[in-house]
């Protein structure tokens, strides 16, 4: 049995839905189909989820949300028209959006989650109707009925372990299951969404739950590339990756697959195959436990912007037991999560996403570090990009850091910091955001063009 997830780009138009139907029908093992909300039809288009967030934010501010709502309704209507579906499904969808937007706003988070989730929920109903209109035995299944229970963390839910057992019974259902991605229910019956792009997570949870043989993740590229194709044109395709490599790359910026979608599949030993809806015969990228060919040190290079660093120095920091803990406790007081903490004898740097901290929080934190930890110097640097070089082969190869550092130096990029992951599967370079593209291109050139792996 296979679980198949289609991303928003695969469901953006009626023509895309025709491709989805053909893919599902081409293999009788494709039993569970997870769908996102309609995504972008072209580069500058707006995803339905973003339109819904705009509606909800406006409604919460008591502003008129007619315009974004009209765009949402138009997206579903045009798909239904293109596929010549009966009008009742569109009426049902329109009523549902209107009802939800008029719903209870006492809790901002609950309201936002309910509105966001309705993008996938209504799309699953639409896709099921479409399949049925073509004489296929397909059924919409609601995550609550299936027992997909999650933690009560708005916009950031995590699956509750009992869900896996509940979902196993989906195997016994007749026909093809059309399941909305991106959300689950708390034990109290409230809708809570995963983080953005979280339909990948739903697919992985379902694959684990039904003990699938394969989790196929259909998107709009032929493969996971060794670098973001918007930074390097026509990059090398990756044929096989380990779960660990993919998780590192996803976390560091490969938006093609959600980093939290690896664990459920990994735990059940289910391989993941990233494939292209627009070119389904291409083999895509397989994500597995172990790969044979680890001759080249680097499998992929990911990058992301929007980081800052808090540099703290104090003479004899090395002798002060508990300094690092007390520093991190200050950050914890503000609910901040951090990414890396490179350190030296008398200094430590904490790297974090800068959108977690406004100017006042930052000033507070600096003052507290100075006064409570008696630091000699505290400096915050903004607008950093983190580059992550990933590959299981790095463990066995000498000189990878030197090659990367030399490539950056030759490209005139100053390295703000370096951190080697203790797993030795990844290495991080911090550079100024303005140098991000140049840095990624230089490292790609070094590991994939100059000496191809
Ligand atoms: N290393 C990479 N390999 C492939 N695609 C990548 C990579 N990094 C970023 N992307 C982007 O991810 C996009 C696919 O992810 P996403 O937009 O979430 O698709 P979907 O709509 O199927 O969920 C691609 O179109 C591509 O621009
Ligand atoms: N629609 C949601 C969830 C999702 O996974 O979407 P996509 O498959 O289009 O990335 C989002 O935009 O976050």
């Amino acid at each position: 049995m296979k679980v198949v997830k289609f991303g928003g780009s695969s469901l953006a138009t009626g023509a895309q839905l025709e491709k989805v139907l053909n893919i599902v029908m081409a293999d009788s093992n494709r039993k569970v189909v997870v769908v996102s909300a309609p995504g972008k039809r072209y580069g500058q288009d707006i995803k339905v989820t973003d339109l819904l967030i705009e509606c909800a934010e406006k409604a919460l501010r008591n502003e008129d949300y007619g315009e974004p709502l009209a765009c949402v309704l138009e997206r579903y209507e045009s798909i239904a028209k293109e596929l010549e579906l009966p009008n009742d499904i569109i009426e049902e969808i329109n009523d549902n959006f209107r009802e939800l937007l008029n719903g209870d706003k006492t809790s901002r988070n609950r309201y936002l989650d309910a509105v966001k989730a309705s993008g996938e929920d209504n799309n699953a109903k639409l896709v099921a109707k479409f399949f049925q209109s073509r004489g296929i035995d397909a059924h919409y299944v609601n995550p609550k009925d299936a027992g997909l229970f999650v933690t009560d963390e708005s916009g950031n839910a995590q699956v509750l372990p009992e869900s896996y057992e509940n979902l196993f019974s989906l195997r016994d259902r007749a026909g093809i299951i059309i399941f909305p991605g991106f959300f689950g229910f708390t034990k109290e019956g409230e809708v809570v969404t995963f983080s953005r792009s979280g339909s990948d997570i739903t697919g992985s949870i379902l694959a684990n739950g039904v003990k699938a043989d394969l989790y196929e993740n259909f998107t709009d590229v032929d493969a996971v590339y060794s670098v973001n194709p918007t930074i390097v044109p026509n990059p090398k395709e990756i044929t096989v990756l380990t779960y660990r490599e993919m998780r590192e790359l996803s976390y560091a910026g490969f938006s093609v697959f959600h980093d939290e979608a690896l664990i459920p599949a990994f735990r059940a030993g289910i391989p993941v195959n990233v494939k292209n809806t627009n070119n389904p015969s291409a083999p895509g990228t397989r994500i597995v436990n172990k790969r044979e060919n680890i001759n080249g040190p680097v499998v992929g290079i990911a990058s992301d912007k929007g980081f800052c660093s808090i540099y703290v120095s104090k003479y004899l920091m090395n002798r002060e037991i508990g300094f690092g803990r007390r520093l991190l406790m200050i950050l914890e007081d503000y609910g901040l999560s951090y990414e890396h903490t490179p350190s030296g004898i008398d200094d430590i740097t904490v790297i974090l996403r800068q959108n977690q901290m406004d100017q006042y929080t930052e000033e507070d934190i600096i003052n507290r570090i100075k006064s409570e930890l008696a630091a000699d110097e505290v400096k915050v640097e903004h607008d950093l990009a983190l580059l992550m070089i990933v590959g299981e082969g790095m463990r066995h190869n000498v000189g990878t850091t030197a090659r990367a550092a030399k490539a950056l130096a030759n490209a005139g990029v100053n390295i703000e910091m370096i951190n080697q992951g203790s797993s030795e599967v990844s290495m991080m370079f911090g550079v100024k955001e303005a140098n991000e593209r140049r840095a990624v291109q230089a490292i790609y050139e070094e590991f994939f063009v100059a000496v191809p792996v």
Side-chain angles (χ1 to χ4, degrees):
M1 182 182 290
K2 293 179 184 174
V3 170
V4 201
K5 179 255 172 178
F6 291 93
S9 56
S10 304
L11 301 157
T13 63
Q16 289 300 88
L17 259 72
E18 297 274 9
K19 292 179 193 170
V20 166
L21 183 139
N22 288 336
I23 290 168
V24 174
M25 297 321 290
D27 183 343
S28 58
N29 290 315
R30 290 178 175 141
K31 158 104 182 152
V32 181
V33 178
V34 175
V35 297
S36 291
K40 292 185 180 191
R41 292 160 290 187
Y42 46 86
Q44 300 310 310
D45 200 12
I46 307 174
K47 289 172 106 178
V48 161
T49 308
D50 291 305
L51 289 167
L52 287 169
I53 293 171
E54 193 186 336
C55 291
E57 297 280 7
K58 284 199 153 143
L60 284 163
R61 293 195 300 267
N62 279 324
E63 287 171 19
D64 177 21
Y65 54 80
E67 211 176 296
L69 176 61
C71 294
V72 171
L73 303 185
E74 194 275 327
R75 292 295 306 268
Y76 291 85
E77 264 171 43
S78 68
I79 294 173
K81 270 208 185 102
E82 212 181 319
L83 300 172
E84 295 174 354
L85 300 182
N87 235 2
D88 55 347
I89 178 70
I90 278 306
E91 276 163 25
E92 192 188 318
I93 290 174
N94 289 358
D95 288 350
N96 181 260
F97 281 127
R98 291 207 171 94
E99 194 184 313
L100 280 168
L101 281 160
N102 272 325
D104 182 4
K105 299 183 189 64
T106 3
S107 159
R108 178 189 159 80
N109 285 343
R110 286 251 179 281
Y111 178 77
L112 261 171
D113 271 357
V115 173
K116 271 155 68 181
S118 64
E120 339 297 287
D121 201 42
N122 282 314
N123 210 28
K125 289 178 183 161
L126 184 79
V127 172
K129 265 270 152 38
F130 166 51
F131 276 44
Q132 288 158 9
S133 76
R134 298 296 165 92
I136 298 161
D137 183 22
H139 308 275
Y140 158 83
V141 173
N142 184 281
K144 193 194 236 169
D145 299 337
L148 174 41
F149 294 118
V150 296
T151 56
D152 196 356
E153 295 170 88
S154 170
N156 205 16
Q158 287 194 56
V159 64
L160 293 177
E162 65 200 80
S163 303
Y164 295 116
E165 231 169 86
N166 300 338
L167 292 166
F168 187 73
S169 61
L170 287 178
R171 290 182 72 99
D172 302 330
R173 297 213 186 186
I176 292 168
I177 292 161
I178 313 287
F179 200 99
F182 195 37
F183 69 96
F185 284 82
T186 63
K187 292 307 292 284
E188 290 70 41
E190 303 285 352
V191 169
V192 187
T193 63
F194 296 116
S195 51
R196 289 302 303 271
S197 298
S199 300
D200 288 342
I201 306 175
T202 308
S204 188
I205 293 167
L206 259 65
N208 181 314
V210 302
K211 301 288 166 264
D213 304 304
L214 183 66
Y215 170 28
E216 291 178 308
N217 190 284
F218 278 87
T219 180
D220 64 348
V221 279
D222 273 355
V224 177
Y225 299 111
S226 47
V227 67
N228 186 335
T230 61
I231 299 185
V232 174
N234 304 315
K236 185 179 180 295
E237 287 180 10
I238 304 175
T239 49
V240 57
L241 271 168
T242 66
Y243 294 106
R244 187 152 53 165
E245 287 171 331
M246 187 71 227
R247 179 160 152 74
E248 294 261 2
L249 288 164
S250 298
Y251 188 68
F254 275 18
S255 52
V256 60
F257 195 69
H258 198 297
D259 61 279
E260 288 179 28
L262 271 319
I263 300 298
F266 165 75
R267 290 214 173 114
I270 299 163
V272 181
N273 194 185
V274 176
K275 283 175 76 77
N276 191 351
T277 298
N278 307 314
N279 184 17
S281 59
T285 299
R286 283 176 72 82
I287 306 163
V288 295
N289 208 7
K290 226 172 163 179
R291 65 186 173 92
E292 294 305 318
N293 179 12
I294 49 168
N295 296 334
V298 177
V299 73
I301 304 155
S303 69
D304 205 2
K305 290 188 177 62
F307 296 92
C308 66
S309 65
I310 305 176
Y311 169 83
V312 183
S313 84
K314 183 177 181 185
Y315 179 56
L316 293 181
M317 187 188 288
N318 60 319
R319 294 179 51 163
E320 197 173 324
I321 291 165
F323 189 93
R325 178 182 50 79
R326 283 185 287 137
L327 172 63
L328 294 177
M329 275 175 72
I330 294 178
L331 299 185
E332 193 179 336
D333 286 346
Y334 295 86
L336 303 180
S337 70
Y338 69 93
E339 307 292 322
H340 304 275
T341 50
S343 61
I345 311 169
D346 292 330
D347 51 52
I348 181 164
T349 304
V350 185
I351 301 164
L352 54 158
R353 288 207 175 263
Q354 62 191 16
N355 64 3
Q356 300 181 89
M357 245 190 336
D358 60 22
Q359 191 198 330
Y360 305 104
T361 313
E362 186 178 314
E363 280 166 14
D364 258 16
I365 288 174
I366 295 174
N367 291 336
R368 281 191 60 186
I369 297 173
K370 280 184 181 159
S371 60
E372 292 173 29
L373 303 182
D376 298 329
E377 190 185 357
V378 184
K379 242 181 3 195
V380 178
E381 204 171 326
H382 295 105
D383 304 330
L384 295 172
L386 298 188
L387 258 70
M388 195 67 83
I389 300 182
V390 176
E392 299 267 2
M394 277 177 11
R395 266 194 300 248
H396 316 290
N397 275 273
V398 181
T400 312
T401 320
R403 280 176 69 186
K406 188 161 175 279
L408 292 175
N410 289 344
V413 175
N414 187 42
I415 301 170
E416 308 291 324
M417 69 203 87
I418 299 184
N419 196 18
Q420 162 113 48
S422 32
S423 64
E424 287 187 57
V425 168
S426 67
M427 191 186 302
M428 183 279 284
F429 291 89
V431 301
K432 292 265 186 234
E433 277 184 2
N435 289 331
E436 183 197 9
R437 289 181 79 84
R438 198 146 41 102
V440 171
Q441 284 158 357
I443 293 183
Y444 180 77
E445 185 75 20
E446 170 63 29
F447 289 102
F448 292 92
V449 183
V451 187
V453 287

